[in-house]
Amino acid sequence: MSDPLVDKASLLRAIVGQVEETLRRMDSGYATARQATLDSPHVMKSKREVTGIEASYLANGLAQNIQEREHELRDLKSLRLPAAPSRVTLGCVVGVAAPEAEVDRLYFLLPVCGGMEVPLGDGRRTVRVLTPGAPVAKALLGKRLGEELMLPLQPIQPVCVRILV
């Protein structure tokens, strides 16, 4: 049974890159929506002329979303990855498999960006980001290497935790 080698630092850099790219796209959309708000006539000629109002709602929503992504980016950049953990904690990459089987699921436990998937270097597999609030993360946090547990996944079966990094 061979476990894949996973470089947490490069995974974290890839996630930071994805968040930065999302921020760039959102900034562009915000600028467009803001300009549409400013370019629309301030006096509506009819009750159906709502382009400016809709653009302002969009700009406000994007501004809030940008703030959330910037907060995520700060959290990711300040995260200290554990070097050799004996228990599952934030910053760990965890492999999950049935006892005596190959690792079939990889999770990276981070404080933000839950649900994001990052491809591994081999291109065949991905690592899914879990936040502490996720049911699977709750089940994994604090577990020791090799410990068996039941995860809230389908199909429900006992699995073995492997702290990979």
Side-chain angles (χ1 to χ4, degrees), residues 33-148:
R34 186 169 182 273
Q35 192 59 45
T37 301
L38 296 173
D39 290 346
S40 69
H42 295 292
V43 177
M44 296 185 337
K45 294 178 185 169
S46 76
K47 65 181 180 182
R48 291 179 180 78
E49 193 174 313
V50 293
T51 306
I53 293 171
E54 289 174 345
S56 70
Y57 288 152
L58 178 60
N60 287 336
L62 282 170
Q64 289 175 340
N65 211 331
I66 287 169
Q67 286 180 334
E68 291 172 9
R69 297 295 93 66
E70 287 171 341
H71 174 72
E72 286 178 355
L73 197 55
R74 281 191 302 274
D75 285 352
L76 290 172
K77 287 183 175 182
S78 67
L79 182 67
R80 301 278 184 240
L81 298 174
S86 61
R87 291 183 176 268
V88 176
T89 183
L90 281 181
C92 285
V93 174
V94 180
V96 176
E100 305 303 322
E102 293 279 330
V103 169
D104 59 350
R105 283 168 272 170
L106 294 169
Y107 300 111
F108 194 7
L109 278 74
L110 294 175
V112 292
C113 297
M116 185 180 286
E117 289 194 359
V118 182
L120 283 178
D122 63 9
R124 302 180 297 118
R125 304 171 96 186
T126 60
V127 177
R128 179 171 289 240
V129 176
L130 295 179
T131 57
V136 173
K138 288 178 183 179
L140 290 172
L141 285 168
K143 300 299 184 235
R144 292 185 182 277
L145 179 65
E147 192 171 331
E148 287 190 18

